[in-house]
Amino acid sequence: MEAVNPKTLTDKVTSVISHVVVTTASKLAFISGQVSVDETGSLVGSGDYYAQAIQVFTNLKYALEAVQADPLYIVKMNIFVVNHNPELISIIFEAGFQVFGPNWPKTASTYIGVQALADPEWLIEIDAIVIFP
């Protein structure tokens, strides 16, 4: 997997994402949108973006572990945030760093503010595409 951040694109965001990810992987995993529920289906962090982000990234980590995939091989993440405002960006990425530590995937990413998710209590949903080198 090769991360490409050309000088012709801003480096303002490359501390948390890569502009382009190139791979020749022959096997992929597509992880469905993970939300802030625990293994029993109970909501974690009602009304709290940080607490929900921790649970969402933890669920993403569990999904990766289930298929024995390294987080550094996530090639694409879509991050959906209800009622987005700029202050939430650092809160959500801080939670991701908390869960993944030095294995934070600087991947191609899309951060999307949305009006609502499937359940009105969910504030964040993240899906991912992973390669197996």
Side-chain angles (χ1 to χ4, degrees), residues 103-133:
N103 288 327
W104 172 256
K106 289 187 186 177
T107 185
S109 295
T110 302
Y111 186 109
I112 306 164
V114 297
Q115 182 178 356
L117 295 169
D119 184 300
E121 293 189 289
W122 298 344
L123 301 175
I124 302 164
E125 183 169 348
I126 300 174
D127 64 30
I129 300 172
V130 184
I131 65 164
F132 293 84

PDB file of all heavy atoms in Angstrom, residues 103-133:
ATOM      1  N   ASN A 103      -1.055   2.964  15.455  1.00  0.00           N
ATOM      2  CA  ASN A 103      -1.588   2.265  14.277  1.00  0.00           C
ATOM      3  C   ASN A 103      -2.722   3.034  13.612  1.00  0.00           C
ATOM      4  O   ASN A 103      -3.505   2.451  12.854  1.00  0.00           O
ATOM      5  CB  ASN A 103      -2.066   0.865  14.658  1.00  0.00           C
ATOM      6  CG  ASN A 103      -0.908  -0.060  14.956  1.00  0.00           C
ATOM      7  OD1 ASN A 103       0.154   0.058  14.361  1.00  0.00           O
ATOM      8  ND2 ASN A 103      -1.094  -0.949  15.894  1.00  0.00           N
ATOM      9  N   TRP A 104      -2.834   4.337  13.909  1.00  0.00           N
ATOM     10  CA  TRP A 104      -3.863   5.152  13.254  1.00  0.00           C
ATOM     11  C   TRP A 104      -3.642   5.101  11.742  1.00  0.00           C
ATOM     12  O   TRP A 104      -2.554   5.412  11.253  1.00  0.00           O
ATOM     13  CB  TRP A 104      -3.810   6.593  13.728  1.00  0.00           C
ATOM     14  CG  TRP A 104      -4.712   7.457  12.923  1.00  0.00           C
ATOM     15  CD1 TRP A 104      -4.346   8.338  11.945  1.00  0.00           C
ATOM     16  CD2 TRP A 104      -6.146   7.479  12.948  1.00  0.00           C
ATOM     17  NE1 TRP A 104      -5.462   8.911  11.379  1.00  0.00           N
ATOM     18  CE2 TRP A 104      -6.573   8.404  11.974  1.00  0.00           C
ATOM     19  CE3 TRP A 104      -7.103   6.802  13.686  1.00  0.00           C
ATOM     20  CZ2 TRP A 104      -7.917   8.672  11.733  1.00  0.00           C
ATOM     21  CZ3 TRP A 104      -8.441   7.076  13.456  1.00  0.00           C
ATOM     22  CH2 TRP A 104      -8.833   7.994  12.492  1.00  0.00           C
ATOM     23  N   PRO A 105      -4.664   4.708  10.991  1.00  0.00           N
ATOM     24  CA  PRO A 105      -4.512   4.608   9.533  1.00  0.00           C
ATOM     25  C   PRO A 105      -4.668   5.967   8.838  1.00  0.00           C
ATOM     26  O   PRO A 105      -5.743   6.535   8.829  1.00  0.00           O
ATOM     27  CB  PRO A 105      -5.651   3.667   9.139  1.00  0.00           C
ATOM     28  CG  PRO A 105      -6.691   3.868  10.202  1.00  0.00           C
ATOM     29  CD  PRO A 105      -5.955   4.207  11.460  1.00  0.00           C
ATOM     30  N   LYS A 106      -3.585   6.486   8.293  1.00  0.00           N
ATOM     31  CA  LYS A 106      -3.654   7.725   7.498  1.00  0.00           C
ATOM     32  C   LYS A 106      -4.093   7.336   6.096  1.00  0.00           C
ATOM     33  O   LYS A 106      -3.301   7.223   5.173  1.00  0.00           O
ATOM     34  CB  LYS A 106      -2.302   8.425   7.465  1.00  0.00           C
ATOM     35  CG  LYS A 106      -1.917   9.050   8.768  1.00  0.00           C
ATOM     36  CD  LYS A 106      -0.651   9.851   8.592  1.00  0.00           C
ATOM     37  CE  LYS A 106      -0.150  10.371   9.900  1.00  0.00           C
ATOM     38  NZ  LYS A 106       1.113  11.077   9.738  1.00  0.00           N
ATOM     39  N   THR A 107      -5.365   7.118   5.958  1.00  0.00           N
ATOM     40  CA  THR A 107      -5.935   6.555   4.748  1.00  0.00           C
ATOM     41  C   THR A 107      -6.691   7.606   3.952  1.00  0.00           C
ATOM     42  O   THR A 107      -6.902   8.717   4.426  1.00  0.00           O
ATOM     43  CB  THR A 107      -6.870   5.390   5.143  1.00  0.00           C
ATOM     44  OG1 THR A 107      -7.342   4.765   3.980  1.00  0.00           O
ATOM     45  CG2 THR A 107      -8.027   5.871   5.975  1.00  0.00           C
ATOM     46  N   ALA A 108      -7.115   7.234   2.775  1.00  0.00           N
ATOM     47  CA  ALA A 108      -8.039   8.089   2.043  1.00  0.00           C
ATOM     48  C   ALA A 108      -9.335   8.126   2.854  1.00  0.00           C
ATOM     49  O   ALA A 108      -9.812   7.083   3.299  1.00  0.00           O
ATOM     50  CB  ALA A 108      -8.291   7.530   0.645  1.00  0.00           C
ATOM     51  N   SER A 109      -9.860   9.309   3.093  1.00  0.00           N
ATOM     52  CA  SER A 109     -11.032   9.440   3.962  1.00  0.00           C
ATOM     53  C   SER A 109     -11.991  10.488   3.434  1.00  0.00           C
ATOM     54  O   SER A 109     -11.583  11.443   2.783  1.00  0.00           O
ATOM     55  CB  SER A 109     -10.613   9.852   5.373  1.00  0.00           C
ATOM     56  OG  SER A 109      -9.844   8.866   5.982  1.00  0.00           O
ATOM     57  N   THR A 110     -13.254  10.284   3.767  1.00  0.00           N
ATOM     58  CA  THR A 110     -14.281  11.290   3.490  1.00  0.00           C
ATOM     59  C   THR A 110     -15.031  11.529   4.791  1.00  0.00           C
ATOM     60  O   THR A 110     -15.470  10.582   5.444  1.00  0.00           O
ATOM     61  CB  THR A 110     -15.253  10.808   2.398  1.00  0.00           C
ATOM     62  OG1 THR A 110     -14.493  10.509   1.221  1.00  0.00           O
ATOM     63  CG2 THR A 110     -16.284  11.864   2.086  1.00  0.00           C
ATOM     64  N   TYR A 111     -15.122  12.784   5.182  1.00  0.00           N
ATOM     65  CA  TYR A 111     -15.804  13.186   6.411  1.00  0.00           C
ATOM     66  C   TYR A 111     -17.056  13.920   5.975  1.00  0.00           C
ATOM     67  O   TYR A 111     -16.974  14.953   5.312  1.00  0.00           O
ATOM     68  CB  TYR A 111     -14.865  14.101   7.201  1.00  0.00           C
ATOM     69  CG  TYR A 111     -15.347  14.508   8.561  1.00  0.00           C
ATOM     70  CD1 TYR A 111     -14.742  13.989   9.699  1.00  0.00           C
ATOM     71  CD2 TYR A 111     -16.371  15.431   8.739  1.00  0.00           C
ATOM     72  CE1 TYR A 111     -15.148  14.374  10.968  1.00  0.00           C
ATOM     73  CE2 TYR A 111     -16.777  15.818   9.998  1.00  0.00           C
ATOM     74  CZ  TYR A 111     -16.165  15.296  11.109  1.00  0.00           C
ATOM     75  OH  TYR A 111     -16.570  15.675  12.354  1.00  0.00           O
ATOM     76  N   ILE A 112     -18.214  13.379   6.349  1.00  0.00           N
ATOM     77  CA  ILE A 112     -19.476  13.896   5.822  1.00  0.00           C
ATOM     78  C   ILE A 112     -20.409  14.279   6.964  1.00  0.00           C
ATOM     79  O   ILE A 112     -20.733  13.452   7.812  1.00  0.00           O
ATOM     80  CB  ILE A 112     -20.166  12.831   4.947  1.00  0.00           C
ATOM     81  CG1 ILE A 112     -19.214  12.344   3.850  1.00  0.00           C
ATOM     82  CG2 ILE A 112     -21.477  13.361   4.359  1.00  0.00           C
ATOM     83  CD1 ILE A 112     -19.637  11.055   3.194  1.00  0.00           C
ATOM     84  N   GLY A 113     -20.851  15.526   6.968  1.00  0.00           N
ATOM     85  CA  GLY A 113     -21.869  15.954   7.909  1.00  0.00           C
ATOM     86  C   GLY A 113     -23.234  15.538   7.380  1.00  0.00           C
ATOM     87  O   GLY A 113     -23.538  15.741   6.205  1.00  0.00           O
ATOM     88  N   VAL A 114     -24.047  14.924   8.235  1.00  0.00           N
ATOM     89  CA  VAL A 114     -25.361  14.446   7.832  1.00  0.00           C
ATOM     90  C   VAL A 114     -26.421  14.963   8.809  1.00  0.00           C
ATOM     91  O   VAL A 114     -26.112  15.326   9.942  1.00  0.00           O
ATOM     92  CB  VAL A 114     -25.421  12.901   7.757  1.00  0.00           C
ATOM     93  CG1 VAL A 114     -24.472  12.371   6.695  1.00  0.00           C
ATOM     94  CG2 VAL A 114     -25.118  12.262   9.099  1.00  0.00           C
ATOM     95  N   GLN A 115     -27.654  14.958   8.351  1.00  0.00           N
ATOM     96  CA  GLN A 115     -28.759  15.382   9.209  1.00  0.00           C
ATOM     97  C   GLN A 115     -29.078  14.332  10.260  1.00  0.00           C
ATOM     98  O   GLN A 115     -29.364  14.647  11.418  1.00  0.00           O
ATOM     99  CB  GLN A 115     -29.998  15.673   8.369  1.00  0.00           C
ATOM    100  CG  GLN A 115     -31.170  16.174   9.180  1.00  0.00           C
ATOM    101  CD  GLN A 115     -32.366  16.490   8.306  1.00  0.00           C
ATOM    102  OE1 GLN A 115     -32.308  16.413   7.088  1.00  0.00           O
ATOM    103  NE2 GLN A 115     -33.467  16.855   8.934  1.00  0.00           N
ATOM    104  N   ALA A 116     -29.055  13.055   9.860  1.00  0.00           N
ATOM    105  CA  ALA A 116     -29.397  11.978  10.773  1.00  0.00           C
ATOM    106  C   ALA A 116     -28.821  10.668  10.258  1.00  0.00           C
ATOM    107  O   ALA A 116     -28.473  10.543   9.086  1.00  0.00           O
ATOM    108  CB  ALA A 116     -30.916  11.855  10.900  1.00  0.00           C
ATOM    109  N   LEU A 117     -28.732   9.687  11.169  1.00  0.00           N
ATOM    110  CA  LEU A 117     -28.366   8.325  10.811  1.00  0.00           C
ATOM    111  C   LEU A 117     -29.596   7.449  11.017  1.00  0.00           C
ATOM    112  O   LEU A 117     -30.672   7.938  11.326  1.00  0.00           O
ATOM    113  CB  LEU A 117     -27.179   7.858  11.659  1.00  0.00           C
ATOM    114  CG  LEU A 117     -25.874   8.631  11.398  1.00  0.00           C
ATOM    115  CD1 LEU A 117     -24.831   8.306  12.453  1.00  0.00           C
ATOM    116  CD2 LEU A 117     -25.342   8.332  10.003  1.00  0.00           C
ATOM    117  N   ALA A 118     -29.448   6.145  10.860  1.00  0.00           N
ATOM    118  CA  ALA A 118     -30.599   5.240  10.904  1.00  0.00           C
ATOM    119  C   ALA A 118     -31.331   5.259  12.245  1.00  0.00           C
ATOM    120  O   ALA A 118     -32.538   5.064  12.295  1.00  0.00           O
ATOM    121  CB  ALA A 118     -30.157   3.816  10.570  1.00  0.00           C
ATOM    122  N   ASP A 119     -30.615   5.483  13.333  1.00  0.00           N
ATOM    123  CA  ASP A 119     -31.226   5.595  14.663  1.00  0.00           C
ATOM    124  C   ASP A 119     -30.987   7.021  15.145  1.00  0.00           C
ATOM    125  O   ASP A 119     -29.857   7.513  15.065  1.00  0.00           O
ATOM    126  CB  ASP A 119     -30.571   4.591  15.615  1.00  0.00           C
ATOM    127  CG  ASP A 119     -31.208   4.569  16.986  1.00  0.00           C
ATOM    128  OD1 ASP A 119     -31.214   5.623  17.671  1.00  0.00           O
ATOM    129  OD2 ASP A 119     -31.687   3.503  17.394  1.00  0.00           O
ATOM    130  N   PRO A 120     -31.998   7.702  15.661  1.00  0.00           N
ATOM    131  CA  PRO A 120     -31.828   9.097  16.055  1.00  0.00           C
ATOM    132  C   PRO A 120     -30.813   9.314  17.178  1.00  0.00           C
ATOM    133  O   PRO A 120     -30.333  10.438  17.350  1.00  0.00           O
ATOM    134  CB  PRO A 120     -33.229   9.536  16.497  1.00  0.00           C
ATOM    135  CG  PRO A 120     -34.015   8.301  16.684  1.00  0.00           C
ATOM    136  CD  PRO A 120     -33.373   7.230  15.854  1.00  0.00           C
ATOM    137  N   GLU A 121     -30.433   8.263  17.913  1.00  0.00           N
ATOM    138  CA  GLU A 121     -29.443   8.426  18.980  1.00  0.00           C
ATOM    139  C   GLU A 121     -28.005   8.280  18.492  1.00  0.00           C
ATOM    140  O   GLU A 121     -27.071   8.633  19.200  1.00  0.00           O
ATOM    141  CB  GLU A 121     -29.716   7.429  20.103  1.00  0.00           C
ATOM    142  CG  GLU A 121     -31.014   7.716  20.837  1.00  0.00           C
ATOM    143  CD  GLU A 121     -31.159   6.853  22.066  1.00  0.00           C
ATOM    144  OE1 GLU A 121     -31.382   5.637  21.904  1.00  0.00           O
ATOM    145  OE2 GLU A 121     -31.049   7.405  23.169  1.00  0.00           O
ATOM    146  N   TRP A 122     -27.821   7.744  17.297  1.00  0.00           N
ATOM    147  CA  TRP A 122     -26.476   7.581  16.764  1.00  0.00           C
ATOM    148  C   TRP A 122     -25.980   8.928  16.241  1.00  0.00           C
ATOM    149  O   TRP A 122     -26.661   9.598  15.465  1.00  0.00           O
ATOM    150  CB  TRP A 122     -26.454   6.563  15.636  1.00  0.00           C
ATOM    151  CG  TRP A 122     -26.861   5.168  16.020  1.00  0.00           C
ATOM    152  CD1 TRP A 122     -26.954   4.642  17.280  1.00  0.00           C
ATOM    153  CD2 TRP A 122     -27.242   4.134  15.123  1.00  0.00           C
ATOM    154  NE1 TRP A 122     -27.358   3.334  17.216  1.00  0.00           N
ATOM    155  CE2 TRP A 122     -27.545   2.994  15.897  1.00  0.00           C
ATOM    156  CE3 TRP A 122     -27.354   4.048  13.741  1.00  0.00           C
ATOM    157  CZ2 TRP A 122     -27.953   1.788  15.339  1.00  0.00           C
ATOM    158  CZ3 TRP A 122     -27.763   2.852  13.186  1.00  0.00           C
ATOM    159  CH2 TRP A 122     -28.044   1.735  13.974  1.00  0.00           C
ATOM    160  N   LEU A 123     -24.760   9.292  16.608  1.00  0.00           N
ATOM    161  CA  LEU A 123     -24.173  10.559  16.182  1.00  0.00           C
ATOM    162  C   LEU A 123     -23.071  10.377  15.147  1.00  0.00           C
ATOM    163  O   LEU A 123     -22.764  11.298  14.409  1.00  0.00           O
ATOM    164  CB  LEU A 123     -23.604  11.308  17.399  1.00  0.00           C
ATOM    165  CG  LEU A 123     -24.603  11.650  18.508  1.00  0.00           C
ATOM    166  CD1 LEU A 123     -23.881  12.278  19.696  1.00  0.00           C
ATOM    167  CD2 LEU A 123     -25.696  12.563  17.972  1.00  0.00           C
ATOM    168  N   ILE A 124     -22.469   9.176  15.104  1.00  0.00           N
ATOM    169  CA  ILE A 124     -21.318   8.919  14.230  1.00  0.00           C
ATOM    170  C   ILE A 124     -21.444   7.516  13.642  1.00  0.00           C
ATOM    171  O   ILE A 124     -21.844   6.579  14.335  1.00  0.00           O
ATOM    172  CB  ILE A 124     -19.995   9.009  15.020  1.00  0.00           C
ATOM    173  CG1 ILE A 124     -19.854  10.394  15.662  1.00  0.00           C
ATOM    174  CG2 ILE A 124     -18.791   8.699  14.123  1.00  0.00           C
ATOM    175  CD1 ILE A 124     -18.818  10.460  16.744  1.00  0.00           C
ATOM    176  N   GLU A 125     -21.085   7.397  12.367  1.00  0.00           N
ATOM    177  CA  GLU A 125     -21.010   6.084  11.723  1.00  0.00           C
ATOM    178  C   GLU A 125     -19.778   6.083  10.825  1.00  0.00           C
ATOM    179  O   GLU A 125     -19.517   7.054  10.121  1.00  0.00           O
ATOM    180  CB  GLU A 125     -22.266   5.811  10.902  1.00  0.00           C
ATOM    181  CG  GLU A 125     -22.286   4.439  10.271  1.00  0.00           C
ATOM    182  CD  GLU A 125     -23.639   4.065   9.684  1.00  0.00           C
ATOM    183  OE1 GLU A 125     -24.641   4.757   9.954  1.00  0.00           O
ATOM    184  OE2 GLU A 125     -23.690   3.068   8.943  1.00  0.00           O
ATOM    185  N   ILE A 126     -19.026   4.985  10.879  1.00  0.00           N
ATOM    186  CA  ILE A 126     -17.805   4.880  10.065  1.00  0.00           C
ATOM    187  C   ILE A 126     -17.776   3.526   9.377  1.00  0.00           C
ATOM    188  O   ILE A 126     -17.940   2.489  10.017  1.00  0.00           O
ATOM    189  CB  ILE A 126     -16.539   5.039  10.928  1.00  0.00           C
ATOM    190  CG1 ILE A 126     -16.538   6.415  11.621  1.00  0.00           C
ATOM    191  CG2 ILE A 126     -15.282   4.872  10.060  1.00  0.00           C
ATOM    192  CD1 ILE A 126     -15.401   6.616  12.596  1.00  0.00           C
ATOM    193  N   ASP A 127     -17.563   3.551   8.044  1.00  0.00           N
ATOM    194  CA  ASP A 127     -17.335   2.315   7.313  1.00  0.00           C
ATOM    195  C   ASP A 127     -15.921   2.345   6.753  1.00  0.00           C
ATOM    196  O   ASP A 127     -15.261   3.391   6.769  1.00  0.00           O
ATOM    197  CB  ASP A 127     -18.388   2.067   6.237  1.00  0.00           C
ATOM    198  CG  ASP A 127     -18.395   3.100   5.120  1.00  0.00           C
ATOM    199  OD1 ASP A 127     -17.350   3.673   4.793  1.00  0.00           O
ATOM    200  OD2 ASP A 127     -19.473   3.324   4.537  1.00  0.00           O
ATOM    201  N   ALA A 128     -15.443   1.186   6.301  1.00  0.00           N
ATOM    202  CA  ALA A 128     -14.051   1.116   5.850  1.00  0.00           C
ATOM    203  C   ALA A 128     -13.859   0.026   4.802  1.00  0.00           C
ATOM    204  O   ALA A 128     -14.603  -0.948   4.759  1.00  0.00           O
ATOM    205  CB  ALA A 128     -13.129   0.846   7.042  1.00  0.00           C
ATOM    206  N   ILE A 129     -12.829   0.232   4.006  1.00  0.00           N
ATOM    207  CA  ILE A 129     -12.352  -0.781   3.051  1.00  0.00           C
ATOM    208  C   ILE A 129     -10.923  -1.100   3.452  1.00  0.00           C
ATOM    209  O   ILE A 129     -10.104  -0.204   3.684  1.00  0.00           O
ATOM    210  CB  ILE A 129     -12.407  -0.271   1.594  1.00  0.00           C
ATOM    211  CG1 ILE A 129     -13.835   0.103   1.210  1.00  0.00           C
ATOM    212  CG2 ILE A 129     -11.834  -1.331   0.642  1.00  0.00           C
ATOM    213  CD1 ILE A 129     -13.952   0.796  -0.134  1.00  0.00           C
ATOM    214  N   VAL A 130     -10.621  -2.400   3.534  1.00  0.00           N
ATOM    215  CA  VAL A 130      -9.327  -2.881   4.003  1.00  0.00           C
ATOM    216  C   VAL A 130      -8.721  -3.804   2.957  1.00  0.00           C
ATOM    217  O   VAL A 130      -9.422  -4.602   2.336  1.00  0.00           O
ATOM    218  CB  VAL A 130      -9.499  -3.668   5.327  1.00  0.00           C
ATOM    219  CG1 VAL A 130      -8.153  -4.096   5.891  1.00  0.00           C
ATOM    220  CG2 VAL A 130     -10.285  -2.863   6.338  1.00  0.00           C
ATOM    221  N   ILE A 131      -7.401  -3.699   2.790  1.00  0.00           N
ATOM    222  CA  ILE A 131      -6.694  -4.621   1.892  1.00  0.00           C
ATOM    223  C   ILE A 131      -5.956  -5.681   2.693  1.00  0.00           C
ATOM    224  O   ILE A 131      -5.659  -5.493   3.871  1.00  0.00           O
ATOM    225  CB  ILE A 131      -5.687  -3.900   0.971  1.00  0.00           C
ATOM    226  CG1 ILE A 131      -4.554  -3.276   1.800  1.00  0.00           C
ATOM    227  CG2 ILE A 131      -6.366  -2.881   0.082  1.00  0.00           C
ATOM    228  CD1 ILE A 131      -3.345  -2.900   0.991  1.00  0.00           C
ATOM    229  N   PHE A 132      -5.682  -6.788   2.047  1.00  0.00           N
ATOM    230  CA  PHE A 132      -4.830  -7.830   2.609  1.00  0.00           C
ATOM    231  C   PHE A 132      -3.649  -7.955   1.656  1.00  0.00           C
ATOM    232  O   PHE A 132      -3.794  -8.493   0.563  1.00  0.00           O
ATOM    233  CB  PHE A 132      -5.580  -9.168   2.707  1.00  0.00           C
ATOM    234  CG  PHE A 132      -6.699  -9.133   3.715  1.00  0.00           C
ATOM    235  CD1 PHE A 132      -7.944  -8.630   3.372  1.00  0.00           C
ATOM    236  CD2 PHE A 132      -6.492  -9.596   5.001  1.00  0.00           C
ATOM    237  CE1 PHE A 132      -8.972  -8.605   4.307  1.00  0.00           C
ATOM    238  CE2 PHE A 132      -7.497  -9.555   5.942  1.00  0.00           C
ATOM    239  CZ  PHE A 132      -8.744  -9.054   5.598  1.00  0.00           C
ATOM    240  N   PRO A 133      -2.487  -7.441   2.064  1.00  0.00           N
ATOM    241  CA  PRO A 133      -1.332  -7.460   1.152  1.00  0.00           C
ATOM    242  C   PRO A 133      -0.800  -8.866   0.905  1.00  0.00           C
ATOM    243  O   PRO A 133      -1.048  -9.776   1.637  1.00  0.00           O
ATOM    244  CB  PRO A 133      -0.293  -6.607   1.884  1.00  0.00           C
ATOM    245  CG  PRO A 133      -0.728  -6.546   3.288  1.00  0.00           C
ATOM    246  CD  PRO A 133      -2.192  -6.846   3.329  1.00  0.00           C
TER     247      PRO A 133
END
